[in-house]
Amino acid sequence: MTIRKVISEIDKLIPLQQAEDFDNVGLLCGVPDRNVSGILISHDVLENVVDEAIERNCNLIVCFHPIIFSGLKSLTGKNYVERVVLKAIENKIAIYAIHTAFDNDFFGVNHGICSQLGLKDLKILQPKENNLKQLTVFVPKEYSQKVKEAMFSAGAGNIGFYDECSFTVNGNGTFRPVEGSNPFSGQQNIRENADEDMISVIFESYKQGQIVGAMKAAHPYEEVAHQLYTLDNKNHHSGLGMYGDLEEEMNEKDFLKFVKEKFNLEIIKHSSFTQKKIKRVGVLGGSGASGIRSAISKKCDAYLTGDLKYHDYFLADSKMLLCDIGHYESEQFVTQQLFEILSQKFSTFAISKSIEKTNPVNYFI
């Protein structure tokens, strides 16, 4: 199987279109048409990880953080980024980064954190906006099912944990073919009355091209009457962060001890105690200061993330316990999650988890 085919299959599981606009995800280096000998999954890609891939005969590294984030103007090995990319290219190893596409995935980074904490009734903390569209198309009744099936196959009608969702209304449509037309039914210059269904489906905006294309390919009309709308509805199954409830509430100190044990932490930085019980917990893996206000609005009692700055702690405002558990530490389950996802998908070649340390932060206790 080629690298191109492998990353195409990965994209079906974790679409790169879910990633944030600022991010640099996808195939960062490597020849797409080269056959895959093995996959190494890592959190970051450093020189020691590339060495590990060479030793394990893996020519595709699937990583969380992209090694190339901003533009490279040269490749001379003058810094760690250039050295990694050079070594990968010289050894014919491709690097594919997934980053915020997995952050925004319902079963991604933040779902892993919530699972570790045993949270229930999980919801997205910051649902994606301007992410949903609606397609309405008018179809001859006898072709209604065929067109619906084509749109479903292209990804339309997936709403949360439901798929093949649509709404159909029957009615009477009129049209008059004029000179130059080649009508599916009726005659030129004579008004035609047609028994038609109006079909509506909802989809994520990045699927628009494939869905409209599939719809038109299945539609019998020469000119297809259809309408596209951008919805104000938020996508409550995609976005940054998550929140849920503990099975049983606990006091703040017991909660911090619980988190420290579950994440194998040496230290937790936190805001002032609120003297409230902890029941609802918000999480956002990585740098999550942007989610503080959202967590407060969702009435979270505690919020777990990383990379909080001095002034971020004031935002808690005695309403919530802020917990900075570390950037890497909050994302530490990603490698195992990706290993499980890809192992189920690919069985024809070896998939390995990197054992190399890539966390650049160390603690002196």
Side-chain angles (χ1 to χ4, degrees), residues 4 43 48 53 81 145 156 158 192 197 221 224 249-250 287 302 304 321 355 363:
R4 187 189 307 279
H43 195 277
N48 58 347
V81 173
Q145 192 61 33
N158 294 350
E192 175 79 3
D197 283 342
Y221 283 178
V224 179
E249 65 180 23
M250 58 182 78
S287 301
L304 268 61
L321 180 67
I355 60 173
Y363 300 96

mmCIF file with all atom_site columns, all heavy atoms in Angstrom, residues 4 43 48 53 81 145 156 158 192 197 221 224 249-250 287 302 304 321 355 363:
data_model
loop_
_atom_site.group_PDB
_atom_site.id
_atom_site.type_symbol
_atom_site.label_atom_id
_atom_site.label_alt_id
_atom_site.label_comp_id
_atom_site.label_asym_id
_atom_site.label_entity_id
_atom_site.label_seq_id
_atom_site.pdbx_PDB_ins_code
_atom_site.Cartn_x
_atom_site.Cartn_y
_atom_site.Cartn_z
_atom_site.occupancy
_atom_site.B_iso_or_equiv
_atom_site.pdbx_formal_charge
_atom_site.auth_seq_id
_atom_site.auth_comp_id
_atom_site.auth_asym_id
_atom_site.auth_atom_id
_atom_site.pdbx_PDB_model_num
ATOM 1   N N   . ARG A 1 4   ? 0.368   7.440  -0.116  1.00 0.00 ? 4   ARG A N   1
ATOM 2   C CA  . ARG A 1 4   ? -0.812  8.204  -0.533  1.00 0.00 ? 4   ARG A CA  1
ATOM 3   C C   . ARG A 1 4   ? -2.102  7.503  -0.108  1.00 0.00 ? 4   ARG A C   1
ATOM 4   O O   . ARG A 1 4   ? -3.039  8.126  0.402   1.00 0.00 ? 4   ARG A O   1
ATOM 5   C CB  . ARG A 1 4   ? -0.795  8.396  -2.044  1.00 0.00 ? 4   ARG A CB  1
ATOM 6   C CG  . ARG A 1 4   ? -1.905  9.316  -2.559  1.00 0.00 ? 4   ARG A CG  1
ATOM 7   C CD  . ARG A 1 4   ? -1.990  9.294  -4.085  1.00 0.00 ? 4   ARG A CD  1
ATOM 8   N NE  . ARG A 1 4   ? -0.720  9.571  -4.725  1.00 0.00 ? 4   ARG A NE  1
ATOM 9   C CZ  . ARG A 1 4   ? -0.233  10.801 -4.909  1.00 0.00 ? 4   ARG A CZ  1
ATOM 10  N NH1 . ARG A 1 4   ? -0.922  11.842 -4.497  1.00 0.00 ? 4   ARG A NH1 1
ATOM 11  N NH2 . ARG A 1 4   ? 0.926   10.969 -5.516  1.00 0.00 ? 4   ARG A NH2 1
ATOM 12  N N   . HIS A 1 43  ? 4.428   11.353 19.270  1.00 0.00 ? 43  HIS A N   1
ATOM 13  C CA  . HIS A 1 43  ? 3.831   12.608 19.706  1.00 0.00 ? 43  HIS A CA  1
ATOM 14  C C   . HIS A 1 43  ? 4.477   13.773 18.958  1.00 0.00 ? 43  HIS A C   1
ATOM 15  O O   . HIS A 1 43  ? 3.791   14.626 18.401  1.00 0.00 ? 43  HIS A O   1
ATOM 16  C CB  . HIS A 1 43  ? 4.014   12.771 21.213  1.00 0.00 ? 43  HIS A CB  1
ATOM 17  C CG  . HIS A 1 43  ? 3.155   13.831 21.821  1.00 0.00 ? 43  HIS A CG  1
ATOM 18  N ND1 . HIS A 1 43  ? 3.489   15.157 21.819  1.00 0.00 ? 43  HIS A ND1 1
ATOM 19  C CD2 . HIS A 1 43  ? 1.958   13.763 22.451  1.00 0.00 ? 43  HIS A CD2 1
ATOM 20  C CE1 . HIS A 1 43  ? 2.550   15.857 22.425  1.00 0.00 ? 43  HIS A CE1 1
ATOM 21  N NE2 . HIS A 1 43  ? 1.609   15.042 22.809  1.00 0.00 ? 43  HIS A NE2 1
ATOM 22  N N   . ASN A 1 48  ? 15.764  11.663 17.334  1.00 0.00 ? 48  ASN A N   1
ATOM 23  C CA  . ASN A 1 48  ? 15.752  10.323 17.923  1.00 0.00 ? 48  ASN A CA  1
ATOM 24  C C   . ASN A 1 48  ? 14.563  9.498  17.446  1.00 0.00 ? 48  ASN A C   1
ATOM 25  O O   . ASN A 1 48  ? 14.632  8.269  17.360  1.00 0.00 ? 48  ASN A O   1
ATOM 26  C CB  . ASN A 1 48  ? 15.781  10.401 19.458  1.00 0.00 ? 48  ASN A CB  1
ATOM 27  C CG  . ASN A 1 48  ? 14.623  11.193 20.048  1.00 0.00 ? 48  ASN A CG  1
ATOM 28  O OD1 . ASN A 1 48  ? 13.911  11.894 19.340  1.00 0.00 ? 48  ASN A OD1 1
ATOM 29  N ND2 . ASN A 1 48  ? 14.431  11.072 21.357  1.00 0.00 ? 48  ASN A ND2 1
ATOM 30  N N   . ALA A 1 53  ? 12.534  5.168  13.736  1.00 0.00 ? 53  ALA A N   1
ATOM 31  C CA  . ALA A 1 53  ? 11.825  4.722  12.526  1.00 0.00 ? 53  ALA A CA  1
ATOM 32  C C   . ALA A 1 53  ? 12.768  3.940  11.620  1.00 0.00 ? 53  ALA A C   1
ATOM 33  O O   . ALA A 1 53  ? 12.379  2.903  11.056  1.00 0.00 ? 53  ALA A O   1
ATOM 34  C CB  . ALA A 1 53  ? 11.250  5.924  11.783  1.00 0.00 ? 53  ALA A CB  1
ATOM 35  N N   . VAL A 1 81  ? 14.665  21.579 13.667  1.00 0.00 ? 81  VAL A N   1
ATOM 36  C CA  . VAL A 1 81  ? 13.636  21.328 12.655  1.00 0.00 ? 81  VAL A CA  1
ATOM 37  C C   . VAL A 1 81  ? 14.285  20.903 11.339  1.00 0.00 ? 81  VAL A C   1
ATOM 38  O O   . VAL A 1 81  ? 13.908  19.893 10.732  1.00 0.00 ? 81  VAL A O   1
ATOM 39  C CB  . VAL A 1 81  ? 12.760  22.582 12.433  1.00 0.00 ? 81  VAL A CB  1
ATOM 40  C CG1 . VAL A 1 81  ? 11.804  22.365 11.264  1.00 0.00 ? 81  VAL A CG1 1
ATOM 41  C CG2 . VAL A 1 81  ? 11.972  22.915 13.698  1.00 0.00 ? 81  VAL A CG2 1
ATOM 42  N N   . GLN A 1 145 ? -34.939 8.269  -4.173  1.00 0.00 ? 145 GLN A N   1
ATOM 43  C CA  . GLN A 1 145 ? -34.121 7.366  -3.372  1.00 0.00 ? 145 GLN A CA  1
ATOM 44  C C   . GLN A 1 145 ? -32.703 7.268  -3.920  1.00 0.00 ? 145 GLN A C   1
ATOM 45  O O   . GLN A 1 145 ? -31.728 7.240  -3.157  1.00 0.00 ? 145 GLN A O   1
ATOM 46  C CB  . GLN A 1 145 ? -34.769 5.970  -3.322  1.00 0.00 ? 145 GLN A CB  1
ATOM 47  C CG  . GLN A 1 145 ? -34.153 5.030  -2.288  1.00 0.00 ? 145 GLN A CG  1
ATOM 48  C CD  . GLN A 1 145 ? -34.285 5.564  -0.863  1.00 0.00 ? 145 GLN A CD  1
ATOM 49  O OE1 . GLN A 1 145 ? -35.257 6.244  -0.510  1.00 0.00 ? 145 GLN A OE1 1
ATOM 50  N NE2 . GLN A 1 145 ? -33.291 5.276  -0.042  1.00 0.00 ? 145 GLN A NE2 1
ATOM 51  N N   . ALA A 1 156 ? -23.223 13.082 3.265   1.00 0.00 ? 156 ALA A N   1
ATOM 52  C CA  . ALA A 1 156 ? -24.312 13.967 3.697   1.00 0.00 ? 156 ALA A CA  1
ATOM 53  C C   . ALA A 1 156 ? -25.178 13.266 4.750   1.00 0.00 ? 156 ALA A C   1
ATOM 54  O O   . ALA A 1 156 ? -25.248 12.037 4.797   1.00 0.00 ? 156 ALA A O   1
ATOM 55  C CB  . ALA A 1 156 ? -25.181 14.360 2.509   1.00 0.00 ? 156 ALA A CB  1
ATOM 56  N N   . ASN A 1 158 ? -24.876 13.174 8.048   1.00 0.00 ? 158 ASN A N   1
ATOM 57  C CA  . ASN A 1 158 ? -24.248 12.677 9.276   1.00 0.00 ? 158 ASN A CA  1
ATOM 58  C C   . ASN A 1 158 ? -24.388 13.741 10.355  1.00 0.00 ? 158 ASN A C   1
ATOM 59  O O   . ASN A 1 158 ? -23.790 14.820 10.253  1.00 0.00 ? 158 ASN A O   1
ATOM 60  C CB  . ASN A 1 158 ? -22.766 12.375 9.042   1.00 0.00 ? 158 ASN A CB  1
ATOM 61  C CG  . ASN A 1 158 ? -22.569 11.220 8.078   1.00 0.00 ? 158 ASN A CG  1
ATOM 62  O OD1 . ASN A 1 158 ? -23.512 10.527 7.732   1.00 0.00 ? 158 ASN A OD1 1
ATOM 63  N ND2 . ASN A 1 158 ? -21.345 11.022 7.637   1.00 0.00 ? 158 ASN A ND2 1
ATOM 64  N N   . GLU A 1 192 ? -44.166 21.954 -18.322 1.00 0.00 ? 192 GLU A N   1
ATOM 65  C CA  . GLU A 1 192 ? -44.240 20.594 -17.778 1.00 0.00 ? 192 GLU A CA  1
ATOM 66  C C   . GLU A 1 192 ? -44.583 20.667 -16.290 1.00 0.00 ? 192 GLU A C   1
ATOM 67  O O   . GLU A 1 192 ? -44.051 21.503 -15.547 1.00 0.00 ? 192 GLU A O   1
ATOM 68  C CB  . GLU A 1 192 ? -42.894 19.881 -17.970 1.00 0.00 ? 192 GLU A CB  1
ATOM 69  C CG  . GLU A 1 192 ? -42.798 18.511 -17.344 1.00 0.00 ? 192 GLU A CG  1
ATOM 70  C CD  . GLU A 1 192 ? -43.487 17.421 -18.164 1.00 0.00 ? 192 GLU A CD  1
ATOM 71  O OE1 . GLU A 1 192 ? -43.998 17.735 -19.267 1.00 0.00 ? 192 GLU A OE1 1
ATOM 72  O OE2 . GLU A 1 192 ? -43.504 16.266 -17.700 1.00 0.00 ? 192 GLU A OE2 1
ATOM 73  N N   . ASP A 1 197 ? -39.857 15.477 -5.375  1.00 0.00 ? 197 ASP A N   1
ATOM 74  C CA  . ASP A 1 197 ? -39.543 15.524 -3.946  1.00 0.00 ? 197 ASP A CA  1
ATOM 75  C C   . ASP A 1 197 ? -38.522 16.632 -3.697  1.00 0.00 ? 197 ASP A C   1
ATOM 76  O O   . ASP A 1 197 ? -37.573 16.794 -4.481  1.00 0.00 ? 197 ASP A O   1
ATOM 77  C CB  . ASP A 1 197 ? -38.956 14.200 -3.465  1.00 0.00 ? 197 ASP A CB  1
ATOM 78  C CG  . ASP A 1 197 ? -40.007 13.118 -3.280  1.00 0.00 ? 197 ASP A CG  1
ATOM 79  O OD1 . ASP A 1 197 ? -41.197 13.470 -3.196  1.00 0.00 ? 197 ASP A OD1 1
ATOM 80  O OD2 . ASP A 1 197 ? -39.627 11.933 -3.230  1.00 0.00 ? 197 ASP A OD2 1
ATOM 81  N N   . TYR A 1 221 ? -31.911 15.274 -14.233 1.00 0.00 ? 221 TYR A N   1
ATOM 82  C CA  . TYR A 1 221 ? -32.192 16.524 -14.940 1.00 0.00 ? 221 TYR A CA  1
ATOM 83  C C   . TYR A 1 221 ? -30.927 17.119 -15.567 1.00 0.00 ? 221 TYR A C   1
ATOM 84  O O   . TYR A 1 221 ? -29.825 17.005 -15.017 1.00 0.00 ? 221 TYR A O   1
ATOM 85  C CB  . TYR A 1 221 ? -32.798 17.557 -13.997 1.00 0.00 ? 221 TYR A CB  1
ATOM 86  C CG  . TYR A 1 221 ? -34.258 17.355 -13.676 1.00 0.00 ? 221 TYR A CG  1
ATOM 87  C CD1 . TYR A 1 221 ? -34.917 18.202 -12.800 1.00 0.00 ? 221 TYR A CD1 1
ATOM 88  C CD2 . TYR A 1 221 ? -34.990 16.316 -14.241 1.00 0.00 ? 221 TYR A CD2 1
ATOM 89  C CE1 . TYR A 1 221 ? -36.253 18.038 -12.483 1.00 0.00 ? 221 TYR A CE1 1
ATOM 90  C CE2 . TYR A 1 221 ? -36.335 16.137 -13.945 1.00 0.00 ? 221 TYR A CE2 1
ATOM 91  C CZ  . TYR A 1 221 ? -36.962 16.991 -13.063 1.00 0.00 ? 221 TYR A CZ  1
ATOM 92  O OH  . TYR A 1 221 ? -38.284 16.828 -12.752 1.00 0.00 ? 221 TYR A OH  1
ATOM 93  N N   . VAL A 1 224 ? -30.082 21.055 -12.709 1.00 0.00 ? 224 VAL A N   1
ATOM 94  C CA  . VAL A 1 224 ? -30.524 20.591 -11.391 1.00 0.00 ? 224 VAL A CA  1
ATOM 95  C C   . VAL A 1 224 ? -30.866 21.792 -10.507 1.00 0.00 ? 224 VAL A C   1
ATOM 96  O O   . VAL A 1 224 ? -30.003 22.646 -10.247 1.00 0.00 ? 224 VAL A O   1
ATOM 97  C CB  . VAL A 1 224 ? -29.429 19.734 -10.721 1.00 0.00 ? 224 VAL A CB  1
ATOM 98  C CG1 . VAL A 1 224 ? -29.889 19.287 -9.337  1.00 0.00 ? 224 VAL A CG1 1
ATOM 99  C CG2 . VAL A 1 224 ? -29.076 18.545 -11.593 1.00 0.00 ? 224 VAL A CG2 1
ATOM 100 N N   . GLU A 1 249 ? -18.920 13.646 43.158  1.00 0.00 ? 249 GLU A N   1
ATOM 101 C CA  . GLU A 1 249 ? -18.198 14.892 43.420  1.00 0.00 ? 249 GLU A CA  1
ATOM 102 C C   . GLU A 1 249 ? -17.125 14.667 44.487  1.00 0.00 ? 249 GLU A C   1
ATOM 103 O O   . GLU A 1 249 ? -17.208 13.735 45.293  1.00 0.00 ? 249 GLU A O   1
ATOM 104 C CB  . GLU A 1 249 ? -19.173 15.997 43.849  1.00 0.00 ? 249 GLU A CB  1
ATOM 105 C CG  . GLU A 1 249 ? -19.870 15.739 45.167  1.00 0.00 ? 249 GLU A CG  1
ATOM 106 C CD  . GLU A 1 249 ? -20.824 16.853 45.553  1.00 0.00 ? 249 GLU A CD  1
ATOM 107 O OE1 . GLU A 1 249 ? -21.280 17.601 44.661  1.00 0.00 ? 249 GLU A OE1 1
ATOM 108 O OE2 . GLU A 1 249 ? -21.120 16.966 46.761  1.00 0.00 ? 249 GLU A OE2 1
ATOM 109 N N   . MET A 1 250 ? -16.125 15.535 44.481  1.00 0.00 ? 250 MET A N   1
ATOM 110 C CA  . MET A 1 250 ? -15.057 15.440 45.487  1.00 0.00 ? 250 MET A CA  1
ATOM 111 C C   . MET A 1 250 ? -14.559 16.833 45.817  1.00 0.00 ? 250 MET A C   1
ATOM 112 O O   . MET A 1 250 ? -14.779 17.780 45.053  1.00 0.00 ? 250 MET A O   1
ATOM 113 C CB  . MET A 1 250 ? -13.922 14.537 44.996  1.00 0.00 ? 250 MET A CB  1
ATOM 114 C CG  . MET A 1 250 ? -13.278 14.963 43.681  1.00 0.00 ? 250 MET A CG  1
ATOM 115 S SD  . MET A 1 250 ? -11.967 13.807 43.138  1.00 0.00 ? 250 MET A SD  1
ATOM 116 C CE  . MET A 1 250 ? -12.950 12.462 42.471  1.00 0.00 ? 250 MET A CE  1
ATOM 117 N N   . SER A 1 287 ? -2.345  23.882 24.776  1.00 0.00 ? 287 SER A N   1
ATOM 118 C CA  . SER A 1 287 ? -2.460  25.257 25.276  1.00 0.00 ? 287 SER A CA  1
ATOM 119 C C   . SER A 1 287 ? -3.931  25.649 25.285  1.00 0.00 ? 287 SER A C   1
ATOM 120 O O   . SER A 1 287 ? -4.496  25.933 24.234  1.00 0.00 ? 287 SER A O   1
ATOM 121 C CB  . SER A 1 287 ? -1.665  26.206 24.379  1.00 0.00 ? 287 SER A CB  1
ATOM 122 O OG  . SER A 1 287 ? -0.308  25.834 24.336  1.00 0.00 ? 287 SER A OG  1
ATOM 123 N N   . ALA A 1 302 ? -14.071 22.627 37.590  1.00 0.00 ? 302 ALA A N   1
ATOM 124 C CA  . ALA A 1 302 ? -12.618 22.584 37.393  1.00 0.00 ? 302 ALA A CA  1
ATOM 125 C C   . ALA A 1 302 ? -12.328 22.524 35.900  1.00 0.00 ? 302 ALA A C   1
ATOM 126 O O   . ALA A 1 302 ? -13.157 22.053 35.109  1.00 0.00 ? 302 ALA A O   1
ATOM 127 C CB  . ALA A 1 302 ? -12.011 21.377 38.098  1.00 0.00 ? 302 ALA A CB  1
ATOM 128 N N   . LEU A 1 304 ? -9.035  21.539 33.225  1.00 0.00 ? 304 LEU A N   1
ATOM 129 C CA  . LEU A 1 304 ? -7.688  20.988 33.048  1.00 0.00 ? 304 LEU A CA  1
ATOM 130 C C   . LEU A 1 304 ? -7.143  21.357 31.683  1.00 0.00 ? 304 LEU A C   1
ATOM 131 O O   . LEU A 1 304 ? -7.798  21.135 30.660  1.00 0.00 ? 304 LEU A O   1
ATOM 132 C CB  . LEU A 1 304 ? -7.718  19.455 33.156  1.00 0.00 ? 304 LEU A CB  1
ATOM 133 C CG  . LEU A 1 304 ? -7.470  18.829 34.524  1.00 0.00 ? 304 LEU A CG  1
ATOM 134 C CD1 . LEU A 1 304 ? -8.540  19.291 35.516  1.00 0.00 ? 304 LEU A CD1 1
ATOM 135 C CD2 . LEU A 1 304 ? -7.470  17.315 34.417  1.00 0.00 ? 304 LEU A CD2 1
ATOM 136 N N   . LEU A 1 321 ? -11.905 26.051 39.494  1.00 0.00 ? 321 LEU A N   1
ATOM 137 C CA  . LEU A 1 321 ? -10.524 25.703 39.795  1.00 0.00 ? 321 LEU A CA  1
ATOM 138 C C   . LEU A 1 321 ? -9.767  25.461 38.490  1.00 0.00 ? 321 LEU A C   1
ATOM 139 O O   . LEU A 1 321 ? -10.105 24.552 37.725  1.00 0.00 ? 321 LEU A O   1
ATOM 140 C CB  . LEU A 1 321 ? -10.472 24.443 40.669  1.00 0.00 ? 321 LEU A CB  1
ATOM 141 C CG  . LEU A 1 321 ? -9.078  23.958 41.067  1.00 0.00 ? 321 LEU A CG  1
ATOM 142 C CD1 . LEU A 1 321 ? -8.398  24.967 42.004  1.00 0.00 ? 321 LEU A CD1 1
ATOM 143 C CD2 . LEU A 1 321 ? -9.159  22.579 41.729  1.00 0.00 ? 321 LEU A CD2 1
ATOM 144 N N   . ILE A 1 355 ? 8.859   4.935  21.481  1.00 0.00 ? 355 ILE A N   1
ATOM 145 C CA  . ILE A 1 355 ? 9.189   4.876  22.912  1.00 0.00 ? 355 ILE A CA  1
ATOM 146 C C   . ILE A 1 355 ? 10.183  5.979  23.278  1.00 0.00 ? 355 ILE A C   1
ATOM 147 O O   . ILE A 1 355 ? 10.652  6.052  24.413  1.00 0.00 ? 355 ILE A O   1
ATOM 148 C CB  . ILE A 1 355 ? 9.772   3.495  23.293  1.00 0.00 ? 355 ILE A CB  1
ATOM 149 C CG1 . ILE A 1 355 ? 11.049  3.205  22.493  1.00 0.00 ? 355 ILE A CG1 1
ATOM 150 C CG2 . ILE A 1 355 ? 8.747   2.400  23.086  1.00 0.00 ? 355 ILE A CG2 1
ATOM 151 C CD1 . ILE A 1 355 ? 11.769  1.944  22.941  1.00 0.00 ? 355 ILE A CD1 1
ATOM 152 N N   . TYR A 1 363 ? 11.259  18.688 35.164  1.00 0.00 ? 363 TYR A N   1
ATOM 153 C CA  . TYR A 1 363 ? 10.952  19.265 36.470  1.00 0.00 ? 363 TYR A CA  1
ATOM 154 C C   . TYR A 1 363 ? 12.005  18.845 37.491  1.00 0.00 ? 363 TYR A C   1
ATOM 155 O O   . TYR A 1 363 ? 12.430  17.676 37.506  1.00 0.00 ? 363 TYR A O   1
ATOM 156 C CB  . TYR A 1 363 ? 9.581   18.794 36.954  1.00 0.00 ? 363 TYR A CB  1
ATOM 157 C CG  . TYR A 1 363 ? 8.436   19.174 36.024  1.00 0.00 ? 363 TYR A CG  1
ATOM 158 C CD1 . TYR A 1 363 ? 7.961   18.282 35.082  1.00 0.00 ? 363 TYR A CD1 1
ATOM 159 C CD2 . TYR A 1 363 ? 7.858   20.442 36.084  1.00 0.00 ? 363 TYR A CD2 1
ATOM 160 C CE1 . TYR A 1 363 ? 6.918   18.630 34.224  1.00 0.00 ? 363 TYR A CE1 1
ATOM 161 C CE2 . TYR A 1 363 ? 6.826   20.797 35.242  1.00 0.00 ? 363 TYR A CE2 1
ATOM 162 C CZ  . TYR A 1 363 ? 6.370   19.890 34.316  1.00 0.00 ? 363 TYR A CZ  1
ATOM 163 O OH  . TYR A 1 363 ? 5.342   20.230 33.459  1.00 0.00 ? 363 TYR A OH  1
#
